[in-house]
Amino acid sequence: MQQAHLANILHFLSEPSASEEERSYEYFEKGLLVVEEGKVLALGYAKDLIDTLPSSTTVYDHKERLLLPGFIDTHVHFPQLEMIASPGADLLNWLNEYAFVAEEKYANANYASEQSDRFLDELLRVGTTTALVFGTVHPESVHSFFTSCKKKNLRMVCGKVMMDRNAPTALLDTPQTSYDESKQLIETWHHKDRLRYAVTPRFAPTSSEHQLELAGQLLKEYPDVYLHTHLSESVSEIAWVRELYPKRDNYVDVYDKAGLLRPKSIFAHCIHLADNEWKRLAETNCGVAFCPTSNLFLGSGLFSMKKAKLFSVKVGLGTDVGGGSSLSLLQTANEAYKVLKIRNEQHSPLLGLYLATLGGAKTLDLENIIGNFMAGKEADFVIIDTASTKLMEHRITHCESLVEQLFVLTMLGDDRAVTQTWSGGVKVYDCANDIQI
Ligand code: GUN
Ligand code: ZN
C-alpha cells in the first residue's frame, strides 16, 4: 500500500560547508514524500506528484510542519538512562560511582526488558530512529533491547559489553565468555530484520590484550558486524591506557594491534588524539562519534571537527547518555555548535542537522539505507513543529531565511519539537496522545 506525506520537506545530499550551504540540501516547500512498503518511492513538490498517486494512496497532511529524516545517534548507552545527570568528578569517577552501579541491575532479564522498552520510548519521543547502542556485559541486556526493537521493526545496532578487568566483579566476563556470548548474539540477532550487531569492548582499560584480540577475531569471522568502543575521551583515561599497554605506541595503536580498525568501527569521543592517530583512523576508514553534551558534562574536553575534516574521518553525533545530558539530537547539535565555536572552528549553521541525519548514516556505513530521502531508502522520518514553544514561535516569525529557521530549530528545539516519528513507513510515536505506538 502506498502512502504520501504532505509537509515542508528537507534532507541533505552532502555536508554543508561554512561558506556555502545551498547545494548541500534539497527543500520542498509544500513537498510530498511518497512511501511504498516502508521505502521512499518519490520526493518532490506536491503539485508535481499529487496527480500521479494511485487513488488507493493514503495521504497524510502534516500542513506547515517540517519533515526531516529520522535522527541518528551514533553513540548511546541504553542501561544508563536511569542515571543520566549524575554529577561525577570526572569520567573514571563517574563510571565507578554511577554507571557501573546502574549496569549491575541488568543481570535481571525482566528489569532489562522493562528498561529497553522505556529507552526506546524516549528515543522515539526525541525523533531518533537509528542508534548505535551499548548494552551491559550481560547478554540478557542485548536480547531485551533487540526484542523491544523487533516489536517496532526499528533499525538499531547494539552489542554486549566485553569487559574482563578494572570494573566491579559482578560486571566482569572473561575473554572466552565474552567471545562465546558475543558470537551467540551475532548468530541470533545480526541481520534479523533491521537489526545489526556491534562487537563492544567497553574501552582499553577494561579489556585485557587477550580480550581485545578475541574481539578482533570476531570481526574476522563476521566482517560486516560493527565494532563500537570509546577512544581518547579524558586525559586521565589516556594516561591509564599508557600504563596498561606500555608496548603500544598510543591509544589508537592498542586497538589497531588487536585488528579493530576498519570501516564499521565506531569510536566515541576522540578528543585528545595526536595527528598520527587521526591518520591511522582515516587510513582504516573508521568512524567517530562526536558527543558534545557528554564531553562538556563530564569535563572531558572539546572535540575538533577541524582535525576530523583535515584527515577525512567520518563523524556523526552521539548523545552518549548517561554521560550525555540529553537524548535529543537537536540539543546535541546545539552543544556541538558551541563546542566548535569555542574552538574557533568555522562551520555551517546547518552542520548539526546534517550530522544528525546523513552524517550519522555515513558514519554508520548506512548511507545507502537511511539518512535522506533518495528513492529506495527506508522511510524513517520525523515531523517537526518549528514553533513548538512560545519562544520558538516568536523567534521563527523573525527569521528571514530557511537556513536561519533551521539553525533556530537546532538551538531552541528539543523533544517538544518532535510531533511524530515514523520508522519504515510506520508511525511509531505521536505526541498527540504522547503514546508510543
Ligand atoms: N568510557 C568507558 N565507559 C564509558 C561510559 O560508559 N561512558 C563514557 N562516556 N565513557 C566511557
Ligand atoms: Zn559512551
mmCIF file of all heavy atoms in Angstrom, residues 106-124:
data_model
loop_
_atom_site.group_PDB
_atom_site.id
_atom_site.type_symbol
_atom_site.label_atom_id
_atom_site.label_comp_id
_atom_site.label_asym_id
_atom_site.label_seq_id
_atom_site.Cartn_x
_atom_site.Cartn_y
_atom_site.Cartn_z
ATOM 1 N N TYR A 106 21.289 -5.045 35.261
ATOM 2 C CA TYR A 106 20.850 -5.669 34.003
ATOM 3 C C TYR A 106 21.149 -7.159 33.920
ATOM 4 O O TYR A 106 20.901 -7.795 32.891
ATOM 5 C CB TYR A 106 21.405 -4.890 32.806
ATOM 6 C CG TYR A 106 20.695 -3.564 32.682
ATOM 7 C CD1 TYR A 106 20.978 -2.536 33.576
ATOM 8 C CD2 TYR A 106 19.692 -3.372 31.759
ATOM 9 C CE1 TYR A 106 20.286 -1.334 33.520
ATOM 10 C CE2 TYR A 106 19.004 -2.173 31.688
ATOM 11 C CZ TYR A 106 19.305 -1.165 32.570
ATOM 12 O OH TYR A 106 18.611 0.019 32.506
ATOM 13 N N ALA A 107 21.635 -7.707 35.039
ATOM 14 C CA ALA A 107 21.735 -9.170 35.120
ATOM 15 C C ALA A 107 20.330 -9.761 35.157
ATOM 16 O O ALA A 107 20.105 -10.919 34.783
ATOM 17 C CB ALA A 107 22.501 -9.549 36.383
ATOM 18 N N ASN A 108 19.377 -8.954 35.591
ATOM 19 C CA ASN A 108 17.983 -9.398 35.698
ATOM 20 C C ASN A 108 17.263 -9.146 34.366
ATOM 21 O O ASN A 108 17.056 -7.996 33.964
ATOM 22 C CB ASN A 108 17.335 -8.603 36.848
ATOM 23 C CG ASN A 108 15.866 -8.949 37.014
ATOM 24 O OD1 ASN A 108 15.164 -9.287 36.057
ATOM 25 N ND2 ASN A 108 15.398 -8.843 38.250
ATOM 26 N N ALA A 109 16.870 -10.232 33.700
ATOM 27 C CA ALA A 109 16.306 -10.111 32.354
ATOM 28 C C ALA A 109 15.000 -9.310 32.348
ATOM 29 O O ALA A 109 14.730 -8.564 31.404
ATOM 30 C CB ALA A 109 16.090 -11.488 31.745
ATOM 31 N N ASN A 110 14.190 -9.469 33.395
ATOM 32 C CA ASN A 110 12.920 -8.719 33.437
ATOM 33 C C ASN A 110 13.184 -7.228 33.523
ATOM 34 O O ASN A 110 12.535 -6.418 32.850
ATOM 35 C CB ASN A 110 12.066 -9.125 34.651
ATOM 36 C CG ASN A 110 11.494 -10.500 34.457
ATOM 37 O OD1 ASN A 110 11.355 -10.958 33.326
ATOM 38 N ND2 ASN A 110 11.184 -11.172 35.555
ATOM 39 N N TYR A 111 14.143 -6.883 34.366
ATOM 40 C CA TYR A 111 14.497 -5.466 34.515
ATOM 41 C C TYR A 111 15.015 -4.915 33.184
ATOM 42 O O TYR A 111 14.612 -3.836 32.732
ATOM 43 C CB TYR A 111 15.555 -5.317 35.617
ATOM 44 C CG TYR A 111 15.840 -3.878 35.951
ATOM 45 C CD1 TYR A 111 14.929 -3.133 36.681
ATOM 46 C CD2 TYR A 111 17.004 -3.258 35.503
ATOM 47 C CE1 TYR A 111 15.166 -1.798 36.974
ATOM 48 C CE2 TYR A 111 17.254 -1.921 35.786
ATOM 49 C CZ TYR A 111 16.329 -1.198 36.524
ATOM 50 O OH TYR A 111 16.568 0.120 36.799
ATOM 51 N N ALA A 112 15.905 -5.694 32.564
ATOM 52 C CA ALA A 112 16.485 -5.259 31.279
ATOM 53 C C ALA A 112 15.385 -5.040 30.241
ATOM 54 O O ALA A 112 15.416 -4.077 29.472
ATOM 55 C CB ALA A 112 17.489 -6.292 30.787
ATOM 56 N N SER A 113 14.407 -5.909 30.260
ATOM 57 C CA SER A 113 13.341 -5.823 29.273
ATOM 58 C C SER A 113 12.474 -4.565 29.501
ATOM 59 O O SER A 113 12.163 -3.832 28.555
ATOM 60 C CB SER A 113 12.547 -7.125 29.359
ATOM 61 O OG SER A 113 11.336 -6.984 28.778
ATOM 62 N N GLU A 114 12.116 -4.307 30.758
ATOM 63 C CA GLU A 114 11.350 -3.081 31.076
ATOM 64 C C GLU A 114 12.107 -1.830 30.635
ATOM 65 O O GLU A 114 11.548 -0.904 30.057
ATOM 66 C CB GLU A 114 11.188 -2.936 32.593
ATOM 67 C CG GLU A 114 10.028 -3.648 33.206
ATOM 68 C CD GLU A 114 10.202 -3.668 34.734
ATOM 69 O OE1 GLU A 114 10.808 -2.728 35.331
ATOM 70 O OE2 GLU A 114 9.764 -4.665 35.298
ATOM 71 N N GLN A 115 13.405 -1.834 30.948
ATOM 72 C CA GLN A 115 14.204 -0.634 30.661
ATOM 73 C C GLN A 115 14.440 -0.451 29.157
ATOM 74 O O GLN A 115 14.577 0.672 28.681
ATOM 75 C CB GLN A 115 15.540 -0.669 31.419
ATOM 76 C CG GLN A 115 15.390 -0.679 32.925
ATOM 77 C CD GLN A 115 14.481 0.431 33.440
ATOM 78 O OE1 GLN A 115 14.585 1.579 33.031
ATOM 79 N NE2 GLN A 115 13.556 0.081 34.327
ATOM 80 N N SER A 116 14.504 -1.562 28.426
ATOM 81 C CA SER A 116 14.654 -1.466 26.959
ATOM 82 C C SER A 116 13.450 -0.761 26.358
ATOM 83 O O SER A 116 13.592 0.129 25.510
ATOM 84 C CB SER A 116 14.727 -2.855 26.313
ATOM 85 O OG SER A 116 15.820 -3.540 26.767
ATOM 86 N N ASP A 117 12.263 -1.170 26.797
ATOM 87 C CA ASP A 117 11.045 -0.536 26.273
ATOM 88 C C ASP A 117 11.034 0.943 26.613
ATOM 89 O O ASP A 117 10.705 1.790 25.775
ATOM 90 C CB ASP A 117 9.793 -1.206 26.861
ATOM 91 C CG ASP A 117 9.543 -2.570 26.241
ATOM 92 O OD1 ASP A 117 10.078 -2.843 25.157
ATOM 93 O OD2 ASP A 117 8.808 -3.374 26.850
ATOM 94 N N ARG A 118 11.396 1.253 27.832
ATOM 95 C CA ARG A 118 11.392 2.657 28.272
ATOM 96 C C ARG A 118 12.389 3.486 27.449
ATOM 97 O O ARG A 118 12.095 4.590 26.997
ATOM 98 C CB ARG A 118 11.759 2.740 29.752
ATOM 99 C CG ARG A 118 11.799 4.176 30.267
ATOM 100 C CD ARG A 118 12.298 4.199 31.691
ATOM 101 N NE ARG A 118 11.406 3.494 32.583
ATOM 102 C CZ ARG A 118 10.399 4.071 33.240
ATOM 103 N NH1 ARG A 118 10.173 5.351 33.107
ATOM 104 N NH2 ARG A 118 9.630 3.361 34.039
ATOM 105 N N PHE A 119 13.576 2.915 27.253
ATOM 106 C CA PHE A 119 14.612 3.622 26.495
ATOM 107 C C PHE A 119 14.123 3.905 25.068
ATOM 108 O O PHE A 119 14.254 5.020 24.552
ATOM 109 C CB PHE A 119 15.893 2.785 26.472
ATOM 110 C CG PHE A 119 16.982 3.352 25.607
ATOM 111 C CD1 PHE A 119 17.797 4.371 26.069
ATOM 112 C CD2 PHE A 119 17.198 2.864 24.324
ATOM 113 C CE1 PHE A 119 18.807 4.904 25.271
ATOM 114 C CE2 PHE A 119 18.195 3.384 23.519
ATOM 115 C CZ PHE A 119 19.007 4.405 23.995
ATOM 116 N N LEU A 120 13.524 2.885 24.445
ATOM 117 C CA LEU A 120 13.049 3.085 23.067
ATOM 118 C C LEU A 120 11.943 4.122 23.008
ATOM 119 O O LEU A 120 11.892 4.937 22.082
ATOM 120 C CB LEU A 120 12.560 1.761 22.473
ATOM 121 C CG LEU A 120 13.654 0.828 21.996
ATOM 122 C CD1 LEU A 120 13.045 -0.428 21.393
ATOM 123 C CD2 LEU A 120 14.562 1.507 20.973
ATOM 124 N N ASP A 121 11.061 4.120 23.998
ATOM 125 C CA ASP A 121 10.015 5.146 24.052
ATOM 126 C C ASP A 121 10.647 6.533 24.046
ATOM 127 O O ASP A 121 10.208 7.429 23.327
ATOM 128 C CB ASP A 121 9.167 5.001 25.325
ATOM 129 C CG ASP A 121 8.217 3.815 25.239
ATOM 130 O OD1 ASP A 121 8.126 3.201 24.163
ATOM 131 O OD2 ASP A 121 7.583 3.498 26.261
ATOM 132 N N GLU A 122 11.669 6.692 24.860
ATOM 133 C CA GLU A 122 12.327 8.003 24.946
ATOM 134 C C GLU A 122 13.033 8.362 23.641
ATOM 135 O O GLU A 122 13.030 9.507 23.197
ATOM 136 C CB GLU A 122 13.335 8.029 26.104
ATOM 137 C CG GLU A 122 12.695 8.040 27.480
ATOM 138 C CD GLU A 122 11.756 9.237 27.684
ATOM 139 O OE1 GLU A 122 12.105 10.350 27.265
ATOM 140 O OE2 GLU A 122 10.666 9.032 28.231
ATOM 141 N N LEU A 123 13.662 7.357 23.040
ATOM 142 C CA LEU A 123 14.382 7.584 21.780
ATOM 143 C C LEU A 123 13.418 8.076 20.687
ATOM 144 O O LEU A 123 13.700 9.029 19.967
ATOM 145 C CB LEU A 123 15.035 6.268 21.343
ATOM 146 C CG LEU A 123 16.426 6.321 20.751
ATOM 147 C CD1 LEU A 123 17.398 6.994 21.687
ATOM 148 C CD2 LEU A 123 16.915 4.917 20.421
ATOM 149 N N LEU A 124 12.280 7.416 20.596
ATOM 150 C CA LEU A 124 11.311 7.784 19.556
ATOM 151 C C LEU A 124 10.682 9.139 19.863
ATOM 152 O O LEU A 124 10.366 9.908 18.957
ATOM 153 C CB LEU A 124 10.244 6.692 19.426
ATOM 154 C CG LEU A 124 10.804 5.326 19.007
ATOM 155 C CD1 LEU A 124 9.715 4.254 19.045
ATOM 156 C CD2 LEU A 124 11.440 5.374 17.621
#
